[in-house]
Amino acid sequence: MTTTLAILKPDTISAGHAGKILAHLEAAGFRLRACRFTRLNGLQAEAFYAVHRDRPFFRSLVSFMTSGPVLPMVLEADDAAARLREAIGATDPEEAAHGTVRALYAKSTERNAIHASDSEENAAREIAFFFSEADLLGSE
């Protein structure tokens, strides 16, 4: 079993889809290991998405991710990062496979309902951004 990070984005929270998406992920075989309702400030969002700093969508992404509360969560499953990416679907909801989170709940490429770590290595870094070791140890 491995862990990965997902973040339910402000559009998901404001639309009231958090419970539905969490149920969808649990039905897909993921176990919730930690979660925290929070609101990112500009510095936090810039730090989390620093890998995209030189991309044209960076400022818009930071603005969106600070526009409302988010729900970061640690999910566990076999090959968790790859399986989560499959379960949520393509970034563009028009290209997302039928039945995936983004096909069901995303509005656009930017307002795409959920973030998922793209690799085991990034998952470890992203989990540490939001959760301490103590947060994760208590979930056994």
Side-chain angles (χ1 to χ4, degrees), residues 105-127:
Y105 301 105
K107 302 248 186 289
S108 68
T109 299
E110 182 177 86
R111 297 186 182 279
N112 61 16
I114 188 170
H115 164 90
S117 301
D118 63 1
S119 67
E120 298 293 329
E121 296 77 25
N122 282 338
R125 181 188 63 78
E126 291 179 354
I127 288 168

Side-chain angles (χ1 to χ4, degrees), residues 84-111:
L84 182 59
R85 303 284 295 181
E86 184 177 316
I88 68 170
T91 303
D92 182 345
E94 296 293 321
E95 298 174 7
H98 178 72
T100 61
V101 170
R102 288 178 172 152
L104 294 167
Y105 301 105
K107 302 248 186 289
S108 68
T109 299
E110 182 177 86
R111 297 186 182 279

Side-chain angles (χ1 to χ4, degrees), residues 49-103:
Y49 287 107
V51 67
H52 299 303
R53 186 171 305 281
D54 295 329
R55 306 269 264 331
F57 60 82
F58 179 73
R59 294 270 33 101
S60 178
L61 176 61
V62 168
S63 178
F64 171 55
M65 290 301 290
T66 59
S67 69
V70 296
L71 185 69
M73 64 182 80
V74 178
L75 299 170
E76 180 182 68
D78 288 328
D79 198 18
R83 285 193 47 216
L84 182 59
R85 303 284 295 181
E86 184 177 316
I88 68 170
T91 303
D92 182 345
E94 296 293 321
E95 298 174 7
H98 178 72
T100 61
V101 170
R102 288 178 172 152

